[in-house]
Amino acid sequence: MADVFADLVGQEEAVDILRRAAAGAVAILDGSGTGSAMTHAWIFTGPPGSGRSVAARALAAALQCATGVGCGECTGCRTTLGGTHADVRMVTPDGLSIGVNEMRALVLRAASAPTGGRWQVVVIEDADRLTEQAGNALLKAIEEPPPRTVFLLCTPSTHPDDISVTIRSRCRVVTLRQPPAAAVASVLVSRDGVEADTAAWAGAAAQGHVGRARRLARDADARRRREAVLAVPRRLTGVGACFDAASALIEAAEAEAEAAVAEADTAERTALETALGAGGTGRGASGAIRGAAGQLKDLEKRQKSRATRAQRDALDRALVDLAGFYRDVLVRTMAAPVAPVHTDATSLAEAAARKWSPDDALRRLEAVLECRTAIEANVKPRIAVEAMMLSLWN
């Protein structure tokens, strides 16, 4: 097995920073130095698919590594990467936000001494979803950190909309870049056994997102969904067609999200009902179930929030694909020597480029990006997508 940093594709500078941090952590533990490369709070930023959470998990594993370098072989590395290490807390929000109660409970647990004798590590994926109160609770812990606790936060950027300025000022920032398509393709070939031509296509189509490239290379359903998105520009022949295309895009995202969460939802509900005595026949069993209605309602609320998040994520992937198409058209209208994102849609992009000016293509690209921004600002997805389709047609 390769070391814990091997999955950080095209991030050589960031890997060097993290290796030095791991070495600094060892120096702190054994008293051989000050460990100046190590600090108690980190922020990992970068575009989607750049590997923010991968980098955070890799550093967490290196901090728990018996050799101190992130060997990938020892129990500390394997349990951290597997999500079972007792001293590593992983926060992956199911819903649209991370609330204050969850954060307070996490900070309280993180204040305890590490059971393995090394570090308590808290990894917060999507830290940009912290509510204001949750951010304040985290800030207090970062300002007065326990001596052996490390906080690793993942955000799209250090903009105040993503993470508070005060938290940012108390963290060391590691900026990740979008991996080159060639580097993504190389990983798919060497680690996943994907054929070179398929890997090259998937690496370009995924726009540097390693996980999405892997799905496109392996999952026929993912490829069909992408093909449906790339067919949208040809469907926009009138107002009615715009609304039909919007409905199709929304319904596809809903179906994808439902399929993604259905199994987890069923398992959670079954486990909770069993824990609460469902199926029991003894005295008081029926009363126990009636009394559990509140807990079942809370579970349904969390599951609904997770489904909403999954739907928006699926829709965002479709919008990224659509933006890539209009970007390809823009490149062709300007005769720029730039490789296309969608190599299998070049004929469609060339046909559009013959009809549109660079300004036309740019306005369409901006319409897709504005739709993404509107959805992030909690505009109803259907309304945002319908407005986008009308803008693309006009």
Side-chain angles (χ1 to χ4, degrees), residues 338-358:
V338 180
V341 169
H342 299 300
T343 56
D344 55 343
T346 52
S347 60
L348 181 60
E350 288 169 357
R354 287 192 292 270
K355 295 190 297 182
W356 301 338
S357 69

Side-chain angles (χ1 to χ4, degrees), residues 268-274 276 278 288-303:
E268 286 178 349
R269 186 176 183 89
T270 300
L272 180 58
E273 289 177 344
T274 301
L276 295 174
I289 287 295
R290 287 195 298 271
Q295 295 183 52
L296 290 172
K297 186 176 181 179
D298 287 344
L299 176 63
E300 290 170 358
K301 182 178 179 181
R302 292 197 303 272
Q303 290 179 341

Side-chain angles (χ1 to χ4, degrees), residues 28 56 94 160 187 195 247 275 303 306 334 340 353:
I28 292 173
D94 285 333
V187 169
E195 293 184 1
S247 292
Q303 290 179 341
R306 178 167 61 197
M334 302 182 71

Side-chain angles (χ1 to χ4, degrees), residues 140-375:
K140 184 174 182 180
I142 291 176
E143 287 181 327
E144 302 173 4
R148 300 278 285 280
T149 298
V150 179
F151 294 92
L152 309 178
L153 317 181
C154 305
T155 69
S157 74
T158 55
H159 190 278
D161 288 346
D162 289 330
I163 195 76
S164 81
V165 174
T166 314
I167 291 178
R168 158 66 184 87
S169 67
R170 285 156 176 76
C171 299
R172 184 169 298 174
V173 177
V174 176
T175 303
L176 305 175
R177 65 191 184 107
Q178 178 175 304
V184 175
S186 177
V187 169
L188 294 181
V189 171
S190 61
R191 297 184 199 166
D192 298 282
V194 177
E195 293 184 1
D197 290 346
T198 301
W201 164 79
Q207 303 179 56
H209 194 304
V210 180
R212 178 149 170 73
R214 188 172 283 119
R215 283 193 295 273
L216 287 173
R218 291 176 163 182
D219 186 350
D221 287 339
R223 292 193 291 273
R224 281 193 291 270
R225 287 191 292 267
R226 174 180 169 275
E227 290 168 1
V229 170
L230 295 182
V232 163
R234 289 176 291 181
R235 298 181 58 184
L236 304 181
T237 57
V239 173
C242 289
F243 283 95
D244 289 342
S247 292
L249 201 62
I250 292 292
E251 289 166 7
E254 290 173 346
E256 182 182 350
E258 183 178 355
V261 303
E263 185 176 349
D265 286 355
T266 301
E268 286 178 349
R269 186 176 183 89
T270 300
L272 180 58
E273 289 177 344
T274 301
L276 295 174
T281 58
R283 180 179 299 176
S286 59
I289 287 295
R290 287 195 298 271
Q295 295 183 52
L296 290 172
K297 186 176 181 179
D298 287 344
L299 176 63
E300 290 170 358
K301 182 178 179 181
R302 292 197 303 272
Q303 290 179 341
K304 183 178 179 180
S305 180
R306 178 167 61 197
T308 300
R309 182 74 256 170
Q311 178 190 338
R312 293 194 180 187
D313 288 345
L315 182 57
D316 190 66
R317 286 191 290 271
L319 294 175
V320 168
D321 283 337
L322 195 58
F325 169 77
Y326 288 112
R327 173 263 191 199
D328 286 349
V329 177
L330 177 61
V331 165
R332 278 163 177 72
T333 62
M334 302 182 71
V338 180
V341 169
H342 299 300
T343 56
D344 55 343
T346 52
S347 60
L348 181 60
E350 288 169 357
R354 287 192 292 270
K355 295 190 297 182
W356 301 338
S357 69
D359 283 345
D360 293 334
L362 180 59
R363 279 195 294 270
R364 286 171 168 84
L365 174 58
E366 288 175 338
V368 179
L369 300 180
E370 287 169 1
C371 180
R372 293 185 71 200
T373 301
I375 293 172

Side-chain angles (χ1 to χ4, degrees), residues 4-30:
V4 297
F5 300 107
D7 286 336
L8 278 170
V9 180
Q11 310 290 351
E12 291 78 10
E13 183 178 348
V15 169
D16 181 62
I17 293 171
L18 300 181
R19 289 191 189 281
R20 286 189 279 113
V26 172
I28 292 173
L29 290 176
D30 63 21

